[in-house]
Amino acid sequence: MTLQQLYLVLLVGGVVLMAGIAAARAAHRIGLPSLLFFLAVGVIAGEDVVGIEFDDAQLAQSLGTAGLAVILVEGGLTTHWPDVRRVLAPAGVLATFGVALSVALTGAGAHFLLGMEWHLSLLLGAIVSSTDAAAVFAVLRSLPLPRKTTGLLEAESGFNDAPTIILVLVFSTAATELPGPVTILGNVLYQLVVGGLMGLAISRIGVAALRHIALPAAGLYPLATVGFGILAFAAAGAVNASGIIAAYLAGLVLGNSRLPHRAATRSFVEGTGWLAQIGLFVMLGLLVDPSELPSAVLPALAVGLVLLLIARPGSVTACLLPFRTPWRDQAFISWAGLRGAVPIVLATFPIVASVDGARHLLNIVFVLVVVFTLVQGPTLPAVARFLHVARTETLREIQVESAPLDVLDADLLTVTIPSGSRLHGVAVFELRLPPPSAITLLVRDGRTLVPGPDTVLAVGDELLLVSTQDTRRATERRLRAVGRRGRLARWLGENGRAEPGEGSDARRDGSPRRPSRWRAQRPRH
């Protein structure tokens, strides 16, 4: 490659990156998942419009798998372990038995509705059965959902990629005769167990190293953190284990350990995750041929409806009934099974394996992802409200780059006063927040002001608070108590405890737990 060619490649890459960033902003303003805009950028940049030629399925598979690893490392690093710990069992069942049941039901629908051979229909079922981590992380973290529901969906999306990839590889390589159930089960167990153990082991080594080795520059800590996650992915893949599960577990361990420069690391991995998403979806948009998509519309709608209305609800119900999950939560979890990059990346596997009809499968999967993301993504808030699983009052955690907050081990929080809250009309000094917790800023009608002790709160106010880890639980309980009973909450016997079924206020070791009713969120895409 000459220097002039390098300039041209960087120019095209820079333009595509800026277009992706602009698409993310447009998607956020409109309320649509950003992946749709990234795919559109890729399709527009392709040979049928702008003229960029890209039809290398092998390269798309390799880059796509690497992009998924980065996204899963970022997802693990930004997931709170307390949210995932109590839903490990149902998430594990959904990611294994649920995937198998979804593959069977979707494959049967494709076989009987489209007349596909069983081998090809089961391959299609395996490709579309996995929920997408990037789509789930991006959409759900902006909704005021119970922490248990969000944790379950995030854990499922992080865990179910590995079994799905294994099944797609099995069905892609066994073009004529499928291996027996015992062989498939043994392969799945080996990849999951060995991949999981390697992810945990490498991440523990990374935690010990980052805690005890002083690096010469603060900017090296985020690089080292992500590097350990990628190392876990590559090491597991090198021994034919699941690098995907290793990457997610490594990110989960690293992100929930007290490492230096956590705020900088979180910002870095979020940017890295965005870059991986933009590159991945634009590349997949380049891979498809728009002229071939119309013939895939009806098959995609048929398979998508089977998946949305039969396979996904059936697998969720079968997996979550033993855990006594309320039917409303089951219904929402069924609707929130978003598809994204994972199915399209998996659709490249049969193309690389030279499976007959593989190109048509890619077109079906592409149309299915676009159409049903348009259906499910924007309607999730309405479905959550309809099923009464959304919370009207939220406590949102935002990321802060200020070093003193890290030194004090403090959190910066925002609280929005909802309609009907008894916080309305209460003066700041009447809150009696436990010191050193303090309200540092108030946003009212788009204007900011520094509240004084006599400032009276009103519905719609957004309060910015600083609270240490030691006083955060007491601060939340005091705000909750005043919100329920007003300034005389303590005299009326209101202690601000979380509602039954929302989780305890403290972990077994006595440290504070974020109450589930107060939904903590990070600003996302």
Side-chain angles (χ1 to χ4, degrees), residues 296-378:
V297 171
L298 291 180
L301 291 177
V303 174
L305 288 173
V306 170
L307 180 63
L308 180 64
L309 302 179
I310 300 176
R312 175 66 178 177
S315 62
V316 168
T317 301
C319 293
L320 297 186
L321 269 181
F323 299 98
R324 299 181 179 178
T325 304
W327 72 268
R328 295 179 186 275
D329 291 346
Q330 291 185 34
F332 181 78
I333 291 169
S334 299
W335 191 259
L338 302 176
R339 270 70 191 174
V342 175
I344 305 177
V345 172
L346 293 181
T348 63
F349 284 53
I351 297 177
V352 174
S354 301
V355 175
D356 291 339
R359 190 76 193 190
H360 186 51
L361 284 185
L362 172 65
N363 295 330
I364 291 175
V365 171
F366 186 89
V367 174
L368 185 152
V369 168
V370 171
V371 171
F372 286 90
T373 300
L374 276 172
V375 172
Q376 293 172 260

Side-chain angles (χ1 to χ4, degrees), residues 138-450:
V139 174
L140 291 185
R141 291 178 181 177
S142 63
L143 296 178
L145 298 172
R147 302 185 71 85
K148 185 176 181 180
T149 302
T150 302
L152 176 57
L153 284 164
E154 290 186 1
E156 179 203 8
S157 67
F159 293 146
N160 67 8
D161 289 343
T164 304
I165 290 175
I166 296 169
L167 291 177
V168 171
L169 285 172
V170 169
F171 292 142
S172 296
T173 54
T176 56
E177 183 178 353
L178 292 175
V182 176
T183 303
I184 296 177
L185 181 60
N187 189 4
V188 170
L189 287 176
Y190 168 79
Q191 293 211 34
L192 294 183
V193 172
V194 175
L197 290 176
M198 294 191 71
L200 293 174
I202 292 176
S203 61
R204 296 307 302 174
I205 294 172
V207 169
L210 291 172
R211 280 179 177 172
H212 296 98
I213 299 176
L215 297 178
L220 293 176
Y221 285 93
L223 285 173
T225 302
V226 176
F228 277 111
I230 300 301
L231 180 63
F233 166 77
V239 295
N240 294 320
S242 174
I244 295 297
I245 197 71
Y248 182 70
L249 288 179
L252 191 61
V253 172
L254 290 163
N256 287 273
S257 302
R258 291 187 175 274
L259 299 178
H261 303 284
R262 287 176 297 168
T265 298
R266 190 179 296 273
S267 296
F268 175 79
V269 299
E270 287 183 351
T272 305
W274 269 114
L275 183 61
Q277 287 188 56
I278 293 173
L280 180 58
F281 286 116
V282 170
M283 178 191 69
L284 295 175
L286 285 169
L287 186 63
V288 299
D289 186 349
S291 63
E292 297 177 355
L293 296 181
S295 63
V297 171
L298 291 180
L301 291 177
V303 174
L305 288 173
V306 170
L307 180 63
L308 180 64
L309 302 179
I310 300 176
R312 175 66 178 177
S315 62
V316 168
T317 301
C319 293
L320 297 186
L321 269 181
F323 299 98
R324 299 181 179 178
T325 304
W327 72 268
R328 295 179 186 275
D329 291 346
Q330 291 185 34
F332 181 78
I333 291 169
S334 299
W335 191 259
L338 302 176
R339 270 70 191 174
V342 175
I344 305 177
V345 172
L346 293 181
T348 63
F349 284 53
I351 297 177
V352 174
S354 301
V355 175
D356 291 339
R359 190 76 193 190
H360 186 51
L361 284 185
L362 172 65
N363 295 330
I364 291 175
V365 171
F366 186 89
V367 174
L368 185 152
V369 168
V370 171
V371 171
F372 286 90
T373 300
L374 276 172
V375 172
Q376 293 172 260
T379 58
L380 276 177
V383 171
R385 291 192 297 269
F386 176 77
L387 294 172
H388 302 291
V389 298
R391 301 300 177 194
T392 57
E393 32 187 303
T394 59
L395 180 67
R396 293 175 291 165
E397 183 178 9
I398 61 177
Q399 297 308 311
V400 182
E401 299 299 331
S402 178
L405 288 178
D406 283 341
V407 173
L408 294 173
D409 199 19
D411 291 327
L412 190 60
L413 309 169
T414 65
V415 177
T416 301
I417 301 179
S419 177
S421 173
R422 299 294 295 275
L423 284 168
H424 177 78
V426 175
V428 170
F429 79 92
E430 293 175 313
L431 291 175
R432 295 182 177 86
L433 298 178
S437 298
I439 300 176
T440 59
L441 194 69
L442 186 151
V443 181
R444 177 178 294 169
D445 298 329
R447 294 179 298 174
T448 61
L449 59 96
V450 178

Side-chain angles (χ1 to χ4, degrees), residues 79-123:
T79 296
H80 291 288
W81 168 243
D83 297 343
V84 174
R85 177 175 55 188
R86 54 182 176 167
V87 295
L88 276 180
V93 174
L94 276 173
T96 51
F97 177 73
V99 164
L101 185 57
S102 180
V103 170
L105 293 174
T106 307
H111 174 74
F112 291 111
L113 293 178
L114 304 180
M116 286 185 175
E117 297 180 359
W118 274 111
H119 169 258
L120 206 60
S121 63
L122 289 174
L123 176 58

